[in-house]
């Protein structure tokens, strides 16, 4: 049975539950809108609203699950991370204190495999042909991955924001992206024609090829970790629309820690969308974010080369496995 204690964390009322194995799990309660914007002092630069949450009615089972995960990880032979020292040095140092087993940050994983190997859906290669007709760094690539979904009202605000920005866009609208719709039914008749050919919509795109294409100048993303890493590796600044899980944490690091993109903080309204797109693609702030992510791209690229941290840890991992 877990013992519960009241307290506060980052200015928010919390309940700490201590299980018999010593694990402490903190849950938040009675959070008002103002508290959601409060910083988490223990985990800068996160805000309270960025913390991943899991909805469950049986907290005892949840605590037991998390406790087992922590216990087994500490007892494991080692941990392999899809990350790099040059990207998350302080975070990895903290994790090593919590999990005192060999640690191998050998990322980014996708650079070890062909671009097509991680695709979940049939890729529409016509997106590359369309990009070939566009000037360098002119196109905003928009994709929310294979799981995220939105309601029709959000989708329409997104569509009109893209149209009103007057910037070229390649938009991945996956079947099932809009709840209650099969594909593009919510778009008003003639929407694509009103864009004068500036926009192109596909059901799925070869993302790594798109991000590496010279015409791609920005990435509007849900900030899944794979997508975030792929964007960093290609030096493409981001607009962040996180949906759930670790995506809020990733987006906060993109916008506030690494400063290589911007994040929607209060909903998706067409005027806000238009302003964000123009800021990233046209205005001076976007150029500054582009310069920072190009510097980060260079650092990450070096990680994989001889003498780089990921190369070093990969060699260490191989030696470690062969030692058994």
């Amino acid at each position: 049975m877990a013992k519960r204690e009241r307290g506060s964390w980052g200015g928010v009322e919390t309940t700490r539950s201590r299980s018999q194995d010593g694990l402490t799990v903190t849950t938040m309660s009675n959070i008002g809108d103002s508290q959601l914007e409060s910083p988490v002092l223990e985990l800068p630069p996160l805000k309270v609203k960025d913390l991943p949450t899991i909805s469950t009615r049986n907290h005892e089972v949840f605590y037991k699950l998390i406790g087992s995960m922590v216990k087994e990880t500490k007892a494991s032979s080692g941990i392999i991370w899809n990350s790099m020292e040059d990207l998350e040095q302080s975070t990895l140092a903290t994790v090593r204190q919590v999990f005192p087993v060999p640690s191998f940050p050998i990322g980014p994983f996708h650079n070890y495999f062909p671009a097509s190997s991680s695709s979940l859906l049939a890729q529409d290669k016509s997106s590359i042909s369309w990009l070939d007709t566009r000037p360098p760094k002119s196109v905003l690539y928009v994709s929310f991955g294979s799981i995220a979904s939105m309601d029709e009202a959000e989708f329409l605000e997104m569509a009109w924001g893209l149209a009103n920005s007057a910037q070229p866009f390649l938009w991945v609208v996956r079947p099932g992206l809009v709840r209650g719709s099969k594909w593009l039914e919510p778009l008003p008749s003639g929407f694509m024609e009103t864009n004068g050919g500036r926009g192109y919509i596909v059901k799925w795109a070869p993302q790594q090829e798109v991000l590496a294409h010279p015409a791609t100048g920005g990435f509007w993303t849900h900030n899944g970790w794979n997508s975030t890493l792929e964007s960093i590796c290609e030096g493409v600044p981001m607009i962040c629309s996180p949906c759930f899980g670790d995506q809020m944490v990733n987006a906060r690091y993109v916008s506030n820690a690494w400063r290589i993109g911007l994040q929607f903080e209060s909903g998706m309204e067409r005027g806000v969308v238009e302003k964000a797109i123009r800021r990233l693609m046209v205005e001076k702030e976007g150029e500054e974010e582009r310069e920072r992510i190009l510097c980060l791209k260079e650092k990450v690229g070096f990680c994989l080369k001889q003498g780089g941290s990921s190369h070093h840890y990969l060699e260490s991992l191989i030696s470690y496995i062969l030692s058994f």
Side-chain angles (χ1 to χ4, degrees), residues 45-46 49-52 82-83 87-88 91 221-229 232 238-263:
L46 300 185
K49 67 181 181 181
D50 301 325
L51 297 174
N82 186 18
S83 191
L87 184 65
E88 297 192 280
T91 301
T221 172
H222 66 310
N223 284 111
W225 186 238
N226 288 334
S227 291
T228 301
L229 279 185
I232 290 173
M238 289 166 262
I239 295 175
C240 306
S241 291
C243 302
F244 52 80
D246 68 320
Q247 295 167 14
M248 282 80 79
V249 175
N250 301 338
R252 185 64 59 198
Y253 270 82
V254 166
S255 59
N256 286 60
W258 303 322
R259 297 171 62 212
I260 53 175
L262 55 103
Q263 180 176 352

Side-chain angles (χ1 to χ4, degrees), residues 80-85 104-118 208 229-230 233-234 300-306 308-318:
I80 300 172
W81 300 100
N82 186 18
S83 191
M84 302 77 73
E85 284 282 357
F104 305 95
I106 64 172
F109 289 174
H110 72 272
N111 277 21
Y112 297 108
F113 306 101
S116 61
S117 65
S118 61
Q208 291 180 41
L229 279 185
E230 288 167 5
C233 288
E234 299 302 337
V300 170
F302 179 73
C303 286
L304 296 164
K305 297 178 180 178
Q306 182 78 34
S309 62
S310 292
H311 186 276
H312 163 73
Y313 281 113
L314 180 58
E315 289 188 328
S316 298
L317 173 61
I318 293 170

Side-chain angles (χ1 to χ4, degrees), residues 7-316:
S8 64
W9 189 37
V12 178
E13 183 182 346
T14 62
T15 300
R16 286 184 172 85
S17 297
R18 301 179 185 275
S19 59
Q20 290 179 345
D21 61 5
L23 172 71
T24 300
V25 177
T26 304
T27 57
M28 294 175 290
S29 58
N30 301 324
I31 301 176
D33 291 340
S34 60
Q35 289 176 307
L36 290 173
E37 298 294 332
S38 299
V40 181
L41 301 180
E42 299 87 344
L43 298 171
L46 300 185
K47 298 182 179 181
V48 169
K49 67 181 181 181
D50 301 325
L51 297 174
T53 58
I54 298 177
S55 298
T56 178
R57 293 180 179 179
N58 193 331
H59 290 89
E60 297 298 337
V61 171
F62 175 61
Y63 300 143
K64 186 175 181 180
L65 172 63
I66 298 298
S68 296
M69 290 171 59
V70 172
K71 181 180 178 181
E72 293 303 319
T73 302
K74 287 182 176 180
S76 69
S77 298
I79 309 173
I80 300 172
W81 300 100
N82 186 18
S83 191
M84 302 77 73
E85 284 282 357
D86 291 64
L87 184 65
E88 297 192 280
Q89 188 173 25
S90 61
T91 301
L92 287 167
T94 301
V95 168
R96 288 186 178 108
Q97 293 177 354
V98 178
F99 299 100
V101 296
S103 189
F104 305 95
I106 64 172
F109 289 174
H110 72 272
N111 277 21
Y112 297 108
F113 306 101
S116 61
S117 65
S118 61
S119 178
L120 298 175
L121 301 172
Q123 299 175 344
D124 188 337
K125 292 285 187 175
S126 68
S127 54
I128 303 299
S129 301
W130 183 82
L131 285 171
D132 289 340
T133 68
R134 295 291 158 180
K137 306 299 180 187
S138 66
V139 176
L140 177 68
Y141 170 56
V142 186
S143 178
F144 285 1
S146 57
I147 298 176
S149 62
M150 63 182 66
D151 59 33
E152 184 175 320
E154 252 187 323
F155 180 74
L156 287 174
E157 291 300 307
M158 189 176 178
W160 286 116
L162 285 165
N164 296 341
S165 73
Q167 302 304 304
F169 61 88
L170 170 61
W171 190 6
V172 174
V173 181
R174 185 194 76 251
L177 174 67
V178 184
R179 290 186 286 269
S181 298
K182 291 184 178 179
W183 193 36
L184 298 178
E185 299 91 335
L187 284 180
S189 178
F191 173 82
M192 293 304 294
E193 289 75 12
T194 63
N195 284 282
R198 284 196 319 276
Y200 194 68
I201 297 179
V202 296
K203 291 181 178 179
W204 198 247
Q207 181 159 291
Q208 291 180 41
E209 291 181 59
V210 169
L211 290 171
H213 197 284
T216 303
F219 182 18
W220 186 357
T221 172
H222 66 310
N223 284 111
W225 186 238
N226 288 334
S227 291
T228 301
L229 279 185
E230 288 167 5
S231 200
I232 290 173
C233 288
E234 299 302 337
V236 180
M238 289 166 262
I239 295 175
C240 306
S241 291
C243 302
F244 52 80
D246 68 320
Q247 295 167 14
M248 282 80 79
V249 175
N250 301 338
R252 185 64 59 198
Y253 270 82
V254 166
S255 59
N256 286 60
W258 303 322
R259 297 171 62 212
I260 53 175
L262 55 103
Q263 180 176 352
F264 288 117
E265 297 281 2
S266 55
M268 200 181 299
E269 186 271 328
R270 65 188 67 184
V272 175
V273 170
E274 175 187 350
K275 184 178 179 180
I277 293 172
R278 293 192 61 82
R279 177 191 155 181
L280 187 76
M281 302 296 293
V282 179
E283 297 173 4
K284 182 180 178 181
E285 292 90 342
E287 282 301 315
E288 294 170 351
E289 285 152 354
R290 196 175 313 280
E291 290 174 6
R292 283 191 288 269
I293 199 170
L294 286 174
C295 290
L296 194 54
K297 172 188 176 182
E298 186 175 347
K299 289 182 179 180
V300 170
F302 179 73
C303 286
L304 296 164
K305 297 178 180 178
Q306 182 78 34
S309 62
S310 292
H311 186 276
H312 163 73
Y313 281 113
L314 180 58
E315 289 188 328
S316 298

